[in-house]
Amino acid sequence: MDRQKLGAELKRIFPPERVLTSELERRMYSYDSSFMARFHSFVPDAVVLPQSTQEVSALLKLASQHRIPVIPRGAGSGETCGCLAVRGGIVVDLSAWDTIEEVDVANMQVFARPGVVHYKLNEHLAGFGLFFPPDPGSTRMCTVGGMVANNSSGLRAVKYGTTEQYVLGLEAVLPDGQVIQTGGANDCRALKNVSGLNLTKLFVGSEGVLGIITRIRLRVWPRPQARGMAMAVFSELELAPAAVLDVYQSGILPSGIEILDTSAIQAINMYKPEINLPSAEAILIFEVDGNPAGVAWEGQQIAEIVGRHAVSVEWATDPARMADLWRGRSVVAVAAARLRPDGSRIFAGEDISVPLSRVAETLRRIKELSRKHDVAVVNYGHIGDGNIHTAPVINLDSSAEVQRANALVDDIHRLAIAMGGSTTGEHGVGAVRNQYAVDEHGEAALVMKQLKETLDPLNIMNPGKLFPPEGGKDRA
Amino acid sequence: MPEDLEGLKEQYLRCVRCGQCRSVCPVFEAVKNETATPRGKVFLAHLLATGEIKANTQVQAQLSRCLLCRSCSKECPSAIPVHQIVSAARAELVCRAPSPVKRMVFRHIWTRPRRLALAAGLTRQIQILGLDRLGLSLGLLPPGFALPGRLPRRAARATIPAITPAAGKTRLRVGYFLGCSTNFLFPGVAESTVAVLSRLGCEVVIPPELKCCGLPQLASGEADAAVNLASANSEVFRRLNVEAVVSDCASCTAALKESPEFAGIKVIELSELLLELLKEYNPGLQQITKPVTYHDPCHLSKAQGITAAPRELLRLICRDFREMDGASDCCGSGGTFALYHYQTSMAILDKKIAAIKKSEAEIVATSCPTCIMQIRHGLTGHGCEIDVVHTVELLERALGRET
Ligand SMILES: Cc1cc2nc3c(=O)[nH]c(=O)nc-3n(C[C@H](O)[C@H](O)[C@H](O)COP(=O)(O)OP(=O)(O)OC[C@H]3O[C@@H](n4cnc5c(N)ncnc54)[C@H](O)[C@@H]3O)c2cc1C
Ligand code: SF4
Ligand code: SF4
């Protein structure tokens, strides 16, 4: 169908102001936060902004009829081109559909439309003394729909896990326009439910390739009353994971454990000298939360246990001091670019996940790779669950550097698999890691593909993502 | 000269398109799609710079959807100066595809005080004849044209003397930068500024040859005109030998502080100066009893980082000062923004009005004439009888009549 006709058809489903067809408007949907999107122009044929399940269903019927790709999009904060029209088609921007429909306090759950922004959900829940624990760094922008589709998580995944643990049920529109409720139809509000195949979990992390999520039933938790933080400085990188293991062995489960390596410490000190981190091979930041007495006891224990490995440990419960300690960790993603004056931090190879026992080894290997490819990197991450964020810093104007960065990133992904880990712990696959699907999953990758073909025989839902590309390595 | 698009290349390249700026942009909050995000504007500027898109009215329309409120620049973890990039992109557009009408207004009328006064006089005549209402109802004029309301009969410059001596002992000789909005729309605010400064020991000088501060030109892509204005104005102040320059307009103050031409001239924000003066000499303050709340103008809170001084001042003179929710959220005025994007501007304003109502204040104080205009318009539209005043007007009341 030509674009003009498509626009006209879409305007029969949506009011005209919620259909974007001009070249310029479409172009503004050609990016997310990924490195790859900087070098491609994935411009969709149209953009629609739904406000009801009926609209989404009618859209998918139209798309099926004409075999037009449909690409769901939240805030576009993803790092994988997941929400981009790599094969053309209609982008469905769900971020404006952002109503929190109900907080069911008695049943500890909340019902939301997909566009609700994560921090706004938690602001709203705070009024009820509740919270939705996963805490991605993108809290200020990412949508809960995007979080479910990517199974997102954050610093506190150590204790609170990932989004999947909280999704009780979904309303989803399948590629043919059929609307289903997972986790129990008939307004099910059960917290435990093991009846039937778990379609909810199938949709969590499906990155928009199975259908569009239009309503989300989330479990919520009581807010912890107290928090405390410890910062430990290490003279040798290997001592840091050992300290983490000792803490776990002592029966303590911190809410977050973060690591900064030498490069990260250096970058932070260059960016904000006033933070003034001690130069060291590694710094660990522990966070514990819970009731005030428990937090105090756990803090003391951590200080004592970690103190056996560390050069120094500092324990803090004063909010101002905690904010100071946390600032170092929170500015690192941005600070990375300071490693060189003409440098930009890129999001590529940024999210591998390895076994806890091999974190130190992986960090050393990444440093070697960085030297081999002559690309500066900053390393930090959620050491508590083995999730390492590597930030390559390059001059985007130099095509030689871009090429070297791509080679480095490929090596980092392969390193993760070799270590018995995964190419991505949080950000997902999209169109930037799908070439590793078979290496990572073996035969299971083919079963995934069969499932996809069953639900989406016409391959209109977010094509070019998640599954290995046909005929080899063509990206997208 | 403000940085041009080429000069800002390193900045826009550093944008990682994370989208965090979506969380603070008032225009995005009202429009609710990606085309209105700060990130999108940086992206467009980038395309414009590389020549991937041509300068045309569509690009111009997209880039015009920015209040230059700087909320995004402040929020951005990578410290991308989005507002500068938008201004530079606008300049690029003006250069490649100038709009004759806007050129005429911003370059040839607004830069010359006499012509501007004539235009204001003409506007008033049109209003008296009711032609503006006719034009509005026939859709010949954009709805934003109604915003300023009926212009006062005489502009401030026509009534206030060029030099007002200090009421008592002279502590300071200040140059008062009487900006266009205050001059034409709120001569009463100008009178209060002069009266208060004088009461607190300032000799107040208003040089008659002052021109516009240059902000409207900068915002509409006429960067070189802005530079010319700044250098003419700075010359004037240098010749006058004043110890400091103040303005009751947050936007003018920000523009003066930021223009390199003003290097070496001490520009002080009005509420900070007033607090300082009051600390040295307090002639006694009567308390305002009605509940008062404060709206932070973007050009004060975000451009100059000043939020404490106006509050401290208000707490000195108000028995019941109370914060509204989102006091530093933009009111949607953004200079001429409302003229082009009335609906969006009003959607942004609605949130502000709701916050004011919720505060149950009876007086809203702020420090920028365009914010006063916008908030008054909103309150009237919502049928609220809440006063909107400049902080300096409240201080004048608190100082009471001169004896
Ligand atoms: C600075 C920064 C920090 C980040 N930190 C973290 C972090 O700590 N942890 C983490 O997990 N991620 C993080 N991310 C990645 C990203 O923010 C998350 O993956 C987020 O959940 C994406 O949400 P979004 O609304 O932006 O989705 P988008 O980027 O718009 O889309 C992501 C994917 O979800 C699909 N999708 C979106 N909505 C729907 C829907 N309603 N139905 C079906 N499919 C849908 C899209 O098709 C796409 O495949 C970070 C990103 C940035 C830029
Ligand atoms: S301007 Fe800043 S906040 Fe916005 S997308 Fe770019 S880097 Fe992120
Ligand atoms: S300056 Fe204000 S209006 Fe303009 S893009 Fe930034 S936040 Fe939006």
Side-chain angles (χ1 to χ4, degrees):
Chain A
M1 203 183 321
D2 70 38
R3 279 207 195 108
Q4 216 172 357
K5 190 141 174 271
L6 175 64
E9 287 287 333
L10 291 172
K11 282 176 191 163
R12 286 152 67 119
I13 302 174
F14 299 91
E17 70 276 10
R18 291 199 269 113
V19 179
L20 311 180
T21 53
S22 82
E23 151 99 27
L24 206 60
E25 290 169 321
R26 289 185 291 111
R27 274 194 104 130
M28 293 171 98
Y29 280 87
S30 68
Y31 55 75
D32 62 357
S33 191
S34 64
F35 180 51
M36 185 173 171
R38 286 187 164 265
F39 300 97
H40 295 76
S41 193
F42 298 128
V43 184
D45 295 301
V47 178
V48 293
L49 296 116
Q51 287 289 339
S52 74
T53 311
Q54 290 86 325
E55 285 174 352
V56 175
S57 169
L59 169 76
L60 284 167
K61 282 184 186 140
L62 175 79
S64 292
Q65 200 187 342
H66 299 281
R67 301 199 172 205
I68 307 167
V70 171
I71 307 96
R73 179 182 174 107
S77 72
E79 307 288 5
T80 67
C81 294
C83 62
L84 302 184
V86 300
R87 295 194 185 158
I90 306 163
V91 162
V92 187
D93 180 347
L94 294 141
S95 68
W97 191 9
D98 60 352
T99 20
I100 299 170
E101 293 196 332
E102 185 188 344
V103 181
D104 183 348
V105 178
N107 289 308
M108 301 287 280
Q109 50 198 275
V110 59
F111 295 79
R113 291 299 178 179
V116 175
V117 173
H118 177 256
Y119 91 94
K120 288 200 175 156
L121 178 66
N122 268 336
E123 251 179 26
H124 188 76
L125 288 170
F128 301 89
L130 299 170
F131 84 128
F132 167 51
D135 59 335
S138 46
T139 172
R140 298 279 300 167
M141 55 280 194
C142 75
T143 65
V144 284
M147 287 183 71
V148 173
N150 261 5
N151 190 13
S152 299
S153 55
L155 303 172
R156 302 192 175 105
V158 177
K159 177 170 175 180
Y160 293 105
T162 63
T163 300
E164 71 173 326
Q165 272 130 282
Y166 301 87
V167 188
L168 296 170
L170 296 169
E171 176 188 84
V173 185
L174 301 182
D176 62 0
Q178 187 193 346
V179 181
I180 59 164
Q181 312 288 335
T182 73
N186 313 315
D187 195 22
C188 174
R189 297 194 177 208
L191 290 176
K192 289 176 84 175
N193 183 346
V194 293
S195 96
L197 287 182
N198 197 332
L199 294 184
T200 306
K201 291 230 162 158
L202 180 63
F203 269 85
V204 177
S206 64
E207 298 193 17
V209 304
L210 301 180
I212 298 185
I213 297 158
T214 48
R215 191 165 185 261
I216 300 158
R217 177 161 77 99
L218 286 176
R219 192 189 199 318
V220 289
W221 280 17
R223 286 174 83 78
Q225 299 299 310
R227 272 199 317 146
M229 234 169 249
M231 180 173 89
V233 179
F234 296 87
S235 58
E236 275 172 61
L237 187 60
E238 278 72 13
L239 293 174
V244 171
L245 185 65
D246 279 3
V247 169
Y248 284 149
Q249 293 270 296
S250 75
I252 293 173
L253 184 57
S255 47
I257 314 176
E258 294 295 303
I259 185 166
L260 304 168
D261 85 348
T262 328
S263 61
I265 296 167
Q266 202 185 345
I268 292 166
N269 283 342
M270 282 165 88
Y271 180 53
K272 298 250 173 207
E274 67 275 17
I275 296 182
N276 196 16
L277 293 175
S279 57
E281 274 226 338
I283 287 181
L284 289 186
I285 302 174
F286 292 82
E287 188 203 64
V288 289
D289 69 358
N291 65 62
V295 165
W297 183 81
E298 288 186 348
Q300 250 164 10
Q301 293 290 307
I302 290 178
E304 198 188 303
I305 297 162
V306 175
R308 289 181 215 138
H309 303 271
V311 181
S312 66
V313 189
E314 181 191 344
W315 167 246
T317 48
D318 166 43
R321 185 61 194 149
M322 286 200 294
D324 262 0
L325 293 183
W326 208 237
R327 242 173 97 216
R329 167 59 184 88
S330 56
V331 300
V332 65
V334 179
R338 299 298 159 117
L339 274 198
R340 48 188 283 193
D342 59 351
S344 292
R345 184 257 155 103
I346 60 167
F347 282 93
E350 80 290 358
D351 182 37
I352 62 168
S353 169
V354 297
L356 289 182
S357 59
R358 305 190 78 173
V359 169
E361 186 187 350
T362 307
L363 286 170
R364 291 229 185 267
R365 294 280 292 278
I366 292 174
K367 275 197 182 149
E368 284 164 24
L369 290 173
S370 144
R371 274 194 294 273
K372 172 181 150 199
H373 293 283
D374 190 19
V375 175
V377 300
V378 169
N379 292 308
Y380 58 97
H382 317 313
I383 188 179
D385 42 27
N387 195 183
I388 298 171
H389 291 326
T390 298
V393 181
I394 64 168
N395 178 347
L396 282 170
D397 248 2
S398 151
S399 55
E401 282 194 40
V402 169
Q403 220 166 13
R404 292 208 303 273
N406 276 323
L408 166 72
V409 164
D410 186 46
D411 274 355
I412 292 178
H413 284 141
R414 295 195 184 281
L415 171 68
I417 299 172
M419 288 280 162
S422 163
T423 54
T424 174
E426 287 177 343
H427 299 169
V429 174
V432 305
R433 290 185 258 267
N434 51 346
Q435 69 267 41
Y436 308 108
V438 176
D439 291 342
E440 250 196 277
H441 300 288
E443 295 287 303
L446 302 175
V447 178
M448 288 183 203
K449 199 145 191 216
Q450 283 164 7
L451 263 171
K452 156 84 171 169
E453 281 159 5
T454 309
L455 283 172
D456 183 19
L458 302 175
N459 194 24
I460 60 162
M461 274 314 307
N462 212 358
K465 318 282 169 68
L466 210 64
F467 304 104
E470 309 278 339
K473 237 191 116 177
D474 99 280
R475 284 194 150 188
Chain B
M1 190 80 177
E3 235 28 293
D4 59 10
L5 211 44
E6 180 58 31
L8 288 164
K9 183 171 178 183
E10 246 178 43
Q11 306 289 344
Y12 62 66
L13 276 183
R14 277 194 306 114
C15 167
V16 290
R17 298 180 189 158
C18 65
Q20 183 151 336
C21 44
R22 287 169 61 105
S23 64
V24 293
C25 176
V27 178
F28 169 66
E29 195 178 322
V31 176
K32 286 200 157 182
N33 74 50
E34 184 65 33
T35 68
T37 58
R39 165 172 75 171
K41 287 160 206 162
V42 175
F43 177 70
L44 276 193
H46 188 166
L47 293 186
L48 194 65
T50 56
E52 276 173 74
I53 52 171
K54 298 252 168 314
N56 60 29
T57 47
Q58 273 193 14
V59 181
Q60 198 270 333
Q62 290 295 349
L63 286 171
S64 75
R65 291 200 297 182
C66 172
L67 294 150
L68 300 179
C69 71
R70 309 190 189 194
S71 307
C72 51
S73 310
K74 215 170 148 239
E75 172 79 12
C76 174
S78 313
I80 311 291
V82 181
H83 65 285
Q84 279 179 22
I85 293 172
V86 171
S87 295
R90 289 180 182 174
E92 189 77 21
L93 283 172
V94 165
C95 184
R96 289 201 216 160
S99 137
V101 179
K102 282 196 195 156
R103 269 242 129 137
M104 174 67 98
V105 172
F106 288 107
R107 214 184 165 87
H108 300 297
I109 299 180
W110 211 314
T111 52
R112 318 233 170 134
R114 273 228 195 89
R115 291 185 189 172
L116 191 57
L118 268 175
L122 191 66
T123 309
R124 196 177 131 78
Q125 286 310 316
I126 290 175
Q127 290 177 334
I128 289 172
L129 294 172
L131 292 177
D132 58 330
R133 267 170 286 141
L134 185 68
L136 284 166
S137 63
L138 292 178
L140 296 174
L141 288 173
F145 202 80
L147 263 167
R150 173 73 66 90
L151 296 190
R153 203 160 62 84
R154 303 186 71 179
R157 274 170 205 260
T159 56
I160 305 176
I163 296 182
T164 305
K169 184 178 141 218
T170 307
R171 288 160 216 280
L172 198 72
R173 179 172 148 91
V174 295
Y176 168 27
F177 189 92
L178 174 46
C180 308
S181 307
T182 310
N183 183 40
F184 293 113
L185 303 175
F186 299 103
V189 171
E191 281 161 17
S192 299
T193 302
V194 173
V196 167
L197 285 170
S198 160
R199 276 294 293 285
L200 297 179
C202 295
E203 181 186 3
V204 188
V205 187
I206 311 177
E209 59 273 51
L210 274 191
K211 299 178 173 178
C212 173
C213 70
L215 194 69
Q217 289 71 19
L218 204 60
S220 51
E222 302 281 0
D224 54 334
V227 173
N228 290 340
L229 289 168
S231 65
N233 288 332
S234 58
E235 281 296 299
V236 171
F237 283 119
R238 268 185 242 281
R239 270 202 311 272
L240 279 177
N241 239 342
V242 290
E243 289 162 90
V245 173
V246 283
S247 171
D248 45 33
C249 172
S251 303
C252 295
T253 311
L256 303 188
K257 279 187 179 176
E258 285 172 9
S259 59
E261 287 72 20
F262 269 75
I265 299 178
K266 188 174 173 193
V267 181
I268 315 183
E269 196 277 315
L270 183 62
S271 58
E272 292 191 332
L273 174 64
L274 294 175
L275 265 183
E276 232 176 83
L277 292 169
L278 277 169
K279 272 177 200 153
E280 279 172 38
Y281 166 67
N282 188 335
L285 298 165
Q286 293 165 21
Q287 294 288 299
I288 312 270
T289 50
K290 284 185 179 174
V292 175
T293 190
Y294 177 72
H295 160 74
D296 291 281
C298 295
H299 286 158
L300 194 60
S301 59
K302 286 149 206 150
Q304 301 176 57
I306 297 177
T307 52
R311 287 179 169 77
E312 203 179 319
L313 194 60
L314 286 168
R315 287 212 168 88
L316 275 181
I317 57 177
C318 303
R319 190 161 296 156
D320 179 358
F321 174 76
R322 43 178 82 181
E323 291 285 354
M324 65 168 108
D325 291 345
S328 66
D329 290 354
C330 180
C331 66
S333 160
T336 52
F337 179 85
L339 214 53
Y340 309 123
H341 302 291
Y342 186 73
Q343 303 298 346
T344 309
S345 172
M346 291 305 116
I348 299 167
L349 177 59
D350 280 348
K351 208 178 138 201
K352 182 102 272 170
I353 301 301
I356 293 173
K357 280 199 209 165
K358 195 176 150 216
S359 77
E360 294 186 348
E362 289 173 40
I363 299 175
V364 183
T366 186
S367 337
C368 186
T370 38
C371 297
I372 299 180
M373 173 179 83
Q374 174 89 345
I375 296 172
R376 273 194 193 161
H377 180 76
L379 286 171
T380 312
H382 282 77
C384 304
E385 287 183 8
I386 301 174
D387 236 2
V388 189
V389 298
H390 196 290
T391 315
V392 79
E393 291 179 288
L394 284 186
L395 181 56
E396 190 188 22
R397 278 186 226 172
L399 283 167
R401 291 203 172 281
E402 222 173 322
T403 46

